[in-house]
C-alpha cells in the first residue's frame, strides 16, 4: 500500500503553502464556525461594501435558500484587474499561445487588460447593454474571450459562454433560454489548422425560432476571412471599441447578483442554465486557485480547458486573475502540430503550474514517452487533473514521465454546479494516491449515501452528496428554480446530490467512481442521454432511440446509441452515417456517437420505461450481467440486441 501513497515533497514551501496541521485546523474551523472562516476568506477580495452577513443558507427543499455575503457589494472586474494595477500593472495577466507555433504568442499586461476590458465594457453600454442583461459569448480561445467575460462583469451583464465546438442549434437553444441581447463572436476560430466558422454558425443560429432577443452581433476579426454581414445587426468589435474611453465606471454589484449562466447537461431534458452569483463564487474560485495550486507570485499558470466550460471560467479567467496571476490561454490542441505541443508550450513559456484533463493525458501516453522526454519541463512545479476520474495508470504516467517523479499531482473534483474545487489535495498538506481526489476543501462536507438511503460511516461506497452549502455553489437553474431544487435537492432531501458515485477509503480519501445518473462523461464533457435521444428522434426516419455510455480507453466514456427506425425504413450504412452526422449537426462534434446499433425494438418495462441498465450491459459486452429481465414487456428484445451487438 505504501508505494501507492505519494508524500508531500520534502521542503515544499511557499508563501501560500498550507501544511497538514494548518489544513486540519482550517478545515475544522470552516465546518465548525463557517461564519468566522468565510468572513476571513472574503477579505481576500476588494469590496465596495464589506459583507457583514456571511452565510445564510438552507438546503431543505421546502424552504430552500442560499445567500452568501448577502449585504456585500463588489465588482468582479475590479477584483480581477483594477486592484492589481498599482503593484502589478506591468505584470503579464494573460499569455496567449496561438493554434500554430509559427504565429507569435502575445503577452498582455494587467494595464493593457484593463484598457481592453474597459473599452469593451463602455461599448456594450453604448449598445444599450445594462446590468442584468444577458450576453452570449461564442469565441475561440483568444485573450478576447477573457476580455469579453470581464467586460460583462464590469457592467453587471450576465454572460453565457457557449463552447466554440457547439452547433448553431445549441447556440440558438442557449440564446432562446437566456433571452440574450447581444452575442460576442469572431469571424472564425482555429483548431489544429482548421477553421471553425463561428460567425456563420451564429448567422444560422439566429435564423432559428425564438432568437429575436438578439439585437447586436459583435464580431471580432480573428482569421480575417470573408464572412456574411447583416447591416444594422452586425458590428465589428474593433469599430465599436475604437473611440471608447479606457476607463469605465464599474457597476456596484450585490454579492448575490448573477455573474454568469453556463449550460450543462443533466439526466433529463435540455441543458440547464446553471446560474452563478458574484461574491461567493469569486471568494471560493480565488481561494481554491491559490490553495490547491500553491500559488506563488512568479508562477506561469496554464489550464488547458476551454473557456466554454466551467473550468475555463473559474480557473483560466476568474480565479487566476483575482489572484493577480499570469494565466496562459492556449488556442490549439495537444496533438498539433504533433503530440509534444503541450510540453513545447511549457518550455516556451516556462510554465510552472499545468492543469489538464485525463483524456488528454491518456491520448499523449499512447504516443509514447519520447515526445515528452525530448522537452525539458524543468519549470514545472505542480500538475493538475480535472473532468473525470483519472485512472491510476494515467496518473502514474503523468507523475513519472511528465513530472519526472518530483511534482505533486492535484486531482480536482468539482462540477459546473459547484463553481469551484470541492475535493482536491492541498499539495503541502495531503499525500496523494493515484486515482483519488483525496480530501474536501475548506467548508465542503461530503457524505456517501448507500442504496438504503443511509449515510455510509467510515470506509465504504455510495452516492456522493454535500451536506451543507459552500460559497461558490450554483444558486438556481436560470428561469426554472423548481428544476434546480428537483434536480439537486430532492433525491436526498436536505442535501445536494452531485450525480456522482464515490468510495471513501480507510484514510478518509474520496475516490470518485463516475456519474450514477444518465449523464455520459465523454473526454470530460457532460452529455445527457436525453439530449442525444432527442437529437436522434428529430430525424424523420427515427422512431425511437436510447443512448448509453460505455468504457472507452481514451475518452473515459464513449457514446453508444440504439436506434429503432420508423416502419418501412431499412437500416443501411449510409443511414447510419447520416444519423451520426445528424447528431453532430444538432449538438456538436463532441456528441458524436461511437457506435450506433439498429434495434428492432428497445427493452422496456411494462409501463413503457426504457431499461437503460440492460442497454448499458449490452454495450459493455457483458450479456452475462443483464440481471433480471423478467419485468420487461418483451424479454426476447434483449436476445436480439445481444446477438446483434456492434462488434468492437
Ligand atoms: O462526474 C464528475 C466529473 O465531471 C462531472 C462534472 O462535469 P462538469 O460540470 O462538466 O465539470 C467538469 C469540470 C469540473 C462530475 O460530476 N469530474 C470532474 N472532475 C472530476 C470528475 N470525476 C472524477 N474526478 C475528477 N477530478
Amino acid at each position: 500500500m505504501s508505494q501507492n501513497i505519494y508524500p508531500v515533497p520534502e521542503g515544499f514551501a511557499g508563501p501560500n503553502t498550507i501544511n497538514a496541521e494548518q489544513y486540519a485546523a482550517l478545515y475544522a474551523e470552516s465546518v465548525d464556525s463557517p461564519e468566522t472562516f468565510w468572513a476571513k476568506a472574503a477579505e481576500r477580495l476588494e469590496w465596495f461594501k464589506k459583507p457583514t452577513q456571511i452565510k445564510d443558507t438552507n438546503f431543505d427543499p421546502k424552504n430552500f435558500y442560499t445567500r452568501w455575503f448577502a449585504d456585500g457589494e463588489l465588482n468582479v472586474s475590479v477584483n480581477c484587474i483594477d486592484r492589481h494595477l498599482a503593484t502589478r500593472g506591468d505584470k503579464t495577466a494573460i499569455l496567449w499561445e496561438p493554434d500554430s507555433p509559427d504565429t507569435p504568442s502575445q503577452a498582455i499586461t494587467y494595464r493593457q487588460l484593463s484598457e481592453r476590458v474597459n473599452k469593451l465594457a463602455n461599448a456594450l453600454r453604448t449598445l444599450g447593454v445594462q446590468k442584468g442583461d444577458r450576453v452570449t459569448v461564442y469565441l475561440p480561445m483568444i485573450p478576447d474571450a477573457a476580455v469579453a467575460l470581464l467586460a460583462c462583469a464590469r457592467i453587471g451583464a450576465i454572460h453565457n459562454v457557449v463552447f466554440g465546438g457547439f452547433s448553431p442549434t445549441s447556440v440558438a437553444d442557449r440564446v432562446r433560454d437566456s433571452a440574450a441581447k447581444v452575442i460576442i463572436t469572431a469571424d472564425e476560430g482555429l483548431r489544429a489548422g482548421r477553421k471553425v466558422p463561428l460567425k456563420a454558425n451564429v448567422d444560422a443560429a439566429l435564423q432559428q425560432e425564438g432568437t429575436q432577443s438578439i439585437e447586436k452581433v459583435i464580431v471580432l476579426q480573428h482569421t480575417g476571412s470573408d464572412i456574411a454581414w447583416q447591416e444594422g445587426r452586425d458590428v465589428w468589435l474593433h469599430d465599436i471599441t475604437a473611440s471608447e474611453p479606457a476607463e469605465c465606471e464599474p457597476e456596484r454589484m450585490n454579492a448575490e447578483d448573477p455573474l454568469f449562466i453556463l449550460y450543462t447537461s443533466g439526466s433529463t431534458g435540455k441543458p440547464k442554465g446553471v446560474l452563478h452569483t458574484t461574491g461567493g463564487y469569486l471568494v471560493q474560485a480565488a481561494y481554491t486557485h491559490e490553495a490547491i495550486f500553491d500559488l506563488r507570485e512568479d508562477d506561469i499558470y496554464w489550464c488547458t480547458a476551454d473557456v466554454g466550460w466551467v473550468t475555463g471560467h473559474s480557473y483560466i479567467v476568474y480565479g487566476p486573475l483575482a489572484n493577480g496571476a499570469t494565466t496562459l490561454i492556449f488556442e490549439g490542441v495537444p496533438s498539433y502540430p504533433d503530440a509534444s505541443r503541450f510540453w513545447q508550450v511549457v518550455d516556451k513559456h516556462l510554465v510552472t503550474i499545468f492543469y489538464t484533463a485525463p483524456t488528454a493525458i491518456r491520448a499523449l501516453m499512447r504516443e509514447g514517452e519520447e515526445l515528452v522526454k525530448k522537452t525539458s519541463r524543468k519549470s514545472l512545479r505542480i500538475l493538475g487533473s480535472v473532468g473525470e476520474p483519472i485512472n491510476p495508470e494515467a496518473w502514474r504516467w503523468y507523475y513519472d514521465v511528465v513530472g519526472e517523479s518530483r511534482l505533486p499531482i492535484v486531482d480536482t473534483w468539482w462540477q459546473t454546479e459547484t463553481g469551484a474545487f470541492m475535493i482536491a489535495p492541498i499539495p503541502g498538506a495531503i499525500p496523494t494516491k493515484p486515482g483519488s481526489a483525496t480530501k474536501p476543501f475548506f467548508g465542503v462536507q461530503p457524505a456517501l449515501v448507500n442504496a438504503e438511503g443511509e449515510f455510509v460511516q467510515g470506509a465504504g461506497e455510495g452516492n456522493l452528496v454535500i451536506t451543507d452549502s459552500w460559497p461558490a455553489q450554483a444558486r438556481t437553474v436560470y428561469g426554472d428554480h423548481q428544476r434546480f431544487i428537483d434536480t439537486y435537492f430532492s433525491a436526498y432531501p436536505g442535501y445536494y446530490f452531485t450525480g456522482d458515485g464515490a468510495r471513501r477509503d480507510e484514510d478518509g480519501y474520496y475516490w470518485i467512481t463516475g456519474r450514477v445518473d444518465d449523464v455520459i462523461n465523454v473526454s470530460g464533457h457532460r452529455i445527457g442521454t436525453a439530449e442525444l435521444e432527442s437529437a436522434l428522434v428529430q430525424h424523420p426516419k427515427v422512431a425511437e432511440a436510447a443512448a448509453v455510455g460505455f468504457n472507452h480507453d481514451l475518452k473515459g466514456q464513449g457514446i453508444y446509441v440504439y436506434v429503432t427506425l420508423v416502419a418501412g425504413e431499412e437500416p443501411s450504412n449510409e443511414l447510419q452515417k447520416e444519423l451520426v452526422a445528424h447528431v453532430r449537426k444538432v449538438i456538436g462534434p463532441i456528441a458524436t456517437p461511437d457506435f450506433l446499433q439498429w434495434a428492432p425494438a428497445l427493452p422496456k418495462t411494462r409501463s413503457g420505461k426504457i431499461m437503460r441498465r440492460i442497454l448499458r450491459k449490452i454495450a459493455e459486452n457483458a450479456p452475462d450481467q443483464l440481471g433480471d429481465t423478467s419485468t420487461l414487456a418483451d424479454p426476447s428484445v434483449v436476445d436480439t440486441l445481444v446477438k446483434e451487438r456492434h462488434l468492437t
Side-chain angles (χ1 to χ4, degrees):
M1 193 66 196
S2 64
Q3 84 224 42
N4 283 327
I5 299 186
Y6 292 68
V8 170
E10 243 172 82
F12 187 87
N16 292 318
T17 300
I18 297 167
N19 65 28
E21 292 92 80
Q22 289 166 324
Y23 168 73
L26 285 166
Y27 184 78
E29 184 190 333
S30 73
V31 297
D32 296 340
S33 322
E35 303 262 343
T36 321
F37 179 88
W38 288 110
K40 255 188 289 175
E43 282 172 16
R44 67 179 45 249
L45 298 186
E46 186 173 296
W47 300 80
F48 296 130
K49 178 167 178 280
K50 272 200 191 314
T52 60
Q53 300 160 16
I54 306 301
K55 179 175 189 283
D56 186 19
T57 66
N58 186 0
F59 272 7
D60 178 351
K62 289 194 217 74
N63 181 29
F64 177 92
Y65 50 90
T66 317
R67 289 185 286 266
W68 283 88
F69 313 115
D71 61 343
E73 287 175 9
L74 74 167
N75 182 284
V76 166
S77 77
V78 168
N79 276 282
C80 291
I81 304 171
D82 304 38
R83 69 174 168 140
H84 304 311
L85 292 178
T87 52
R88 298 182 175 118
D90 296 321
K91 178 174 176 174
T92 300
I94 296 176
L95 258 179
W96 182 57
E97 174 64 23
D99 182 56
S100 162
D102 301 330
T103 308
S105 49
Q106 288 175 16
I108 297 162
T109 65
Y110 272 93
R111 205 178 317 285
Q112 291 165 331
L113 180 65
S114 168
E115 200 167 297
R116 282 166 74 163
V117 167
N118 282 295
K119 278 174 162 275
L120 180 56
N122 280 325
L124 288 169
R125 273 198 182 134
T126 303
L127 291 180
V129 179
Q130 294 173 355
K131 178 178 171 180
D133 285 342
R134 274 78 57 215
V135 172
T136 299
V137 176
Y138 186 58
L139 283 171
M141 284 294 287
I142 52 179
D144 304 85
V147 171
L149 267 49
L150 291 160
C152 288
R154 192 151 192 99
I155 63 169
I158 306 170
H159 58 73
N160 167 222
V161 184
V162 182
F163 170 56
F166 274 134
S167 66
T169 301
S170 296
V171 176
D173 286 345
R174 285 153 177 76
V175 164
R176 192 181 304 112
D177 191 77
S178 63
K181 201 170 190 174
V182 166
I183 295 195
I184 306 177
T185 189
D187 47 6
E188 291 172 325
L190 273 179
R191 267 173 77 81
R194 276 178 289 111
K195 291 180 167 176
V196 185
L198 295 174
K199 170 64 165 59
N201 286 351
V202 167
D203 291 340
L206 296 186
Q207 304 222 316
Q208 300 194 16
E209 291 280 311
T211 55
Q212 308 84 324
S213 59
I214 293 291
E215 294 171 10
K216 294 282 174 205
V217 176
I218 301 176
V219 189
L220 179 131
Q221 195 163 39
H222 184 46
T223 61
S225 298
D226 277 345
I227 49 169
W229 200 257
Q230 187 172 317
E231 280 309 327
R233 185 197 68 180
D234 300 347
V235 291
W236 285 112
L237 188 136
H238 56 255
D239 283 344
I240 59 166
T241 49
S243 55
E244 291 289 350
E247 264 148 47
C248 170
E249 188 59 26
E251 197 73 42
R252 276 176 87 102
M253 303 296 283
N254 181 272
E256 282 300 329
D257 280 337
L259 177 63
F260 66 85
I261 303 170
L262 191 56
Y263 286 81
T264 192
S265 301
S267 29
T268 55
K270 281 193 180 293
K272 308 180 273 281
V274 169
L275 183 120
H276 281 285
T277 56
T278 302
Y281 170 79
L282 197 65
V283 168
Q284 197 178 337
Y287 196 176
T288 48
H289 177 260
E290 180 189 284
I292 302 295
F293 293 116
D294 192 64
L295 194 67
R296 302 178 189 183
E297 186 60 44
D298 49 4
D299 272 324
I300 305 290
Y301 164 85
W302 180 18
C303 164
T304 70
D306 193 284
V307 79
W309 313 116
V310 75
T311 310
H313 286 57
S314 303
Y315 298 107
I316 293 178
V317 181
Y318 290 125
L321 296 177
N323 289 330
T326 298
T327 182
L328 192 150
I329 294 184
F330 176 46
E331 186 182 23
V333 300
S335 53
Y336 177 81
D338 68 38
S340 72
R341 184 74 191 279
F342 272 178
W343 325 122
Q344 310 259 356
V345 175
V346 165
D347 284 354
K348 177 172 174 186
H349 297 289
L350 299 176
V351 170
T352 57
I353 303 171
F354 177 73
Y355 183 36
T356 195
T359 187
I361 298 166
R362 286 191 297 264
L364 297 175
M365 194 167 125
R366 191 179 260 199
E367 302 290 330
E369 295 183 5
E370 276 321 298
L371 286 165
V372 188
K373 290 198 161 151
K374 70 178 195 188
T375 61
S376 155
R377 288 157 288 109
K378 282 283 176 284
S379 56
L380 287 172
R381 226 167 43 72
I382 302 236
L383 303 174
S385 173
V386 62
E388 54 175 310
I390 177 164
N391 46 313
E393 193 196 357
W395 195 102
R396 288 204 180 85
W397 186 83
Y398 200 23
Y399 185 84
D400 289 332
V401 179
V402 177
E404 296 180 337
S405 311
R406 65 183 176 90
L407 309 179
I409 296 183
V410 293
D411 176 6
T412 60
W413 175 83
W414 61 299
Q415 310 177 296
T416 305
E417 295 87 342
T418 71
F421 298 157
M422 298 292 277
I423 303 180
I426 289 186
I430 301 173
T432 51
K433 302 184 189 185
S436 169
T438 75
K439 300 263 192 163
F441 189 70
F442 305 133
V444 175
Q445 300 180 61
L448 302 176
V449 189
N450 66 20
E452 286 72 48
E454 296 153 352
F455 279 139
V456 175
Q457 306 296 332
E461 191 160 346
N463 285 351
L464 179 65
V465 300
I466 311 292
T467 64
D468 199 0
S469 181
W470 61 99
Q473 80 162 83
R475 300 298 193 258
T476 192
V477 167
Y478 187 73
D480 196 349
H481 193 58
Q482 196 54 46
R483 187 172 176 202
F484 181 69
I485 295 183
D486 292 347
T487 308
Y488 303 107
F489 295 93
S490 302
Y492 303 105
Y495 307 110
Y496 168 81
F497 177 42
T498 62
D500 280 330
R503 184 164 68 76
R504 188 171 47 222
D505 69 16
E506 52 293 342
D507 296 324
Y509 277 45
Y510 286 86
W511 302 72
I512 309 296
T513 50
R515 301 291 304 194
V516 293
D517 55 4
D518 290 322
V519 169
I520 310 177
N521 189 331
V522 184
S523 302
H525 303 316
R526 275 161 72 167
I527 319 263
T529 53
E531 266 173 278
L532 287 159
E533 290 159 10
S534 103
L536 282 162
V537 297
Q538 275 171 34
H539 191 283
K541 294 183 181 165
V542 174
E544 209 169 20
V548 295
F550 68 98
N551 290 335
H552 188 288
D553 283 351
L554 282 182
K555 302 180 190 177
Q557 281 196 294
I559 299 172
Y560 195 114
V561 298
Y562 297 86
V563 171
T564 307
L565 294 173
V566 296
E569 292 296 339
E570 287 300 320
S572 69
N573 284 345
E574 288 70 50
L575 184 54
Q576 185 167 343
K577 284 197 195 113
E578 188 179 319
L579 293 180
V580 169
H582 172 77
V583 174
R584 287 172 65 95
K585 188 161 158 265
V586 174
I587 306 176
I590 57 167
T592 309
D594 295 276
F595 295 111
L596 186 152
Q597 179 173 350
W598 304 113
L602 292 169
K604 289 185 186 165
T605 60
R606 290 191 193 99
S607 59
K609 198 166 168 280
I610 296 174
M611 295 277 275
R612 264 171 231 287
R613 175 176 59 79
I614 292 176
L615 292 175
R616 269 196 289 269
K617 289 297 172 197
I618 298 173
E620 283 167 12
N621 203 13
D624 49 328
Q625 294 168 28
L626 294 180
D628 183 10
T629 54
S630 63
T631 53
L632 289 176
D634 176 6
S636 72
V637 164
V638 175
D639 301 333
T640 316
L641 291 180
V642 169
K643 215 162 48 215
E644 291 174 8
R645 178 184 173 273
H646 203 290
L647 296 175
T648 57

